[in-house]
Amino acid sequence: MSEQLLAQLMNGLLIGCMYSLIAIGLTMIWGVMNIINFAHADFLMIGMFTSFWLYTLYGVDPLFSIPVCAVLLFVLGWLIYKYLVSKVMTGPGLAQVVVTFGVSIFIANAAVFLWSPDFRMIEKPLLYGTWNFGTVQLSIPKAIASLGSVAVSVALFLFLRKTKTGKAILAVEMNRSSALLMGINTERVNALSFAIGSSLVGIAGAFLSMYYYIYPQVGGTFGLISFCIVALGGFGSIEGAFLAGILIGVVQTLGGYFFDPAYKYAIVFAMYLVTVWIRPQGLMG
């Protein structure tokens, strides 16, 4: 394997880990509530801007803004569920789509109004530079962000499998009616799942702000890929979203390397279409 190809493979794994963390929150909300949160990618943008402004105004490094982003997006997700999404949970599916789509448009336009469409970047985060492995260079911010994404994903997995609250969420995901008969407060589980999913993407936003451009439409770049990951991994499957995120990161990067960077997204969606044609329920659905 050539050194350049090895470097591309490593880059694919790193961006794939970020994709996984973003998509896990989305698939968790779908698995529990059966709704598509179109505002998910805009929550990512809010997390990135929160890190940016904490750094610009108060000198707080993105690494230390992660808890703030997690709590802020948790509260925001909880409020949006309680006062908007919960009102249409028993309504037609189109109403649920319109609500989250409307929230997405509102957040994106509010960001343009408040912060302008300009591109921003955190110039000198605490972690910068590269690690050199022979002739292969690895970006330190990307590596730390990806390792952090994996750690958060594992923590979520353990929370769902080992805690009483996590098991209640899984029970609702498997069978809402049976969970209700068992005495589980499904409304509370809905709110908690929406808040946790939002918090996860807020954490991803803090990680991304260490090395990625920050602007109001940044969510759109990751949003479409996230929906593809959720479908490829299997709707509602957290393990599937984790694997699909890494797979798409690698395919995207290697596709750009072997063909042309302009075709990398086309290659990703071609792979997705072929996969769901063979296995419509996704890899682990």
Side-chain angles (χ1 to χ4, degrees), residues 26 29 35-41 43 85 100-101 103 194 198 227:
L26 188 63
I29 292 172
I35 67 166
I36 299 175
N37 180 19
F38 283 99
H40 194 72
F43 293 168
V85 178
T100 59
F101 194 64
V103 171
F194 202 93
S198 304
F227 288 123

Side-chain angles (χ1 to χ4, degrees), residues 13-94:
L13 288 172
L14 296 183
I15 190 63
C17 291
M18 287 304 308
Y19 283 159
S20 296
L21 181 59
I22 297 170
I24 280 174
L26 188 63
T27 201
M28 181 176 174
I29 292 172
W30 169 266
V32 173
M33 303 166 60
N34 283 338
I35 67 166
I36 299 175
N37 180 19
F38 283 99
H40 194 72
D42 298 284
F43 293 168
L44 177 77
M45 178 267 292
I46 291 177
M48 295 178 75
F49 265 108
T50 300
S51 285
F52 174 78
W53 288 119
L54 285 174
Y55 176 81
T56 303
L57 298 178
Y58 306 108
V60 178
D61 189 84
L63 205 59
F64 301 111
S65 66
I66 292 171
V68 178
C69 292
V71 173
L72 176 66
L73 270 297
F74 183 93
V75 173
L76 180 64
W78 186 288
L79 292 175
I80 287 177
Y81 174 79
K82 181 174 177 61
Y83 293 105
L84 292 175
V85 178
S86 65
K87 308 301 179 186
V88 296
M89 278 299 291
T90 56
L94 183 59

Side-chain angles (χ1 to χ4, degrees), residues 102-259:
V103 171
S104 170
I105 292 175
F106 175 81
I107 292 175
N109 283 277
V112 172
F113 176 75
L114 292 172
W115 305 316
S116 80
D118 295 343
F119 283 57
R120 296 174 172 87
M121 194 163 192
I122 295 176
E123 297 292 342
K124 294 181 179 177
L126 188 62
L127 300 172
Y128 66 95
T130 57
W131 282 324
N132 297 316
F133 300 95
T135 56
V136 176
Q137 294 184 333
L138 206 60
S139 165
I140 293 176
K142 286 184 179 179
I144 296 300
S146 300
L147 290 173
S149 299
V150 173
V152 173
S153 301
V154 171
L156 174 70
F157 182 82
L158 293 176
F159 167 75
L160 293 175
R161 296 294 190 280
K162 301 295 183 183
T163 68
K164 185 177 179 181
T165 303
K167 290 176 181 177
I169 291 174
L170 292 178
V172 174
E173 182 180 344
M174 285 188 284
N175 193 310
R176 176 173 294 272
S177 299
S178 298
L180 194 60
L181 290 174
M182 294 294 291
I184 296 174
N185 185 338
T186 56
E187 184 62 18
R188 181 175 175 273
V189 167
N190 284 347
L192 187 60
S193 301
F194 202 93
I196 291 175
S198 304
S199 181
L200 291 174
V201 80
I203 295 172
F207 281 134
L208 270 178
S209 69
M210 291 195 290
Y211 62 88
Y212 203 85
Y213 285 107
I214 303 165
Y215 53 101
Q217 286 79 28
V218 67
T221 305
F222 293 92
L224 193 57
I225 291 289
S226 299
F227 288 123
C228 178
I229 292 170
V230 170
L232 181 63
F235 282 98
S237 171
I238 291 173
E239 296 88 346
F242 183 80
L243 293 176
I246 293 176
L247 178 62
I248 282 185
V250 171
V251 169
Q252 170 188 307
T253 307
L254 294 185
Y257 173 75
F258 283 113
F259 297 97

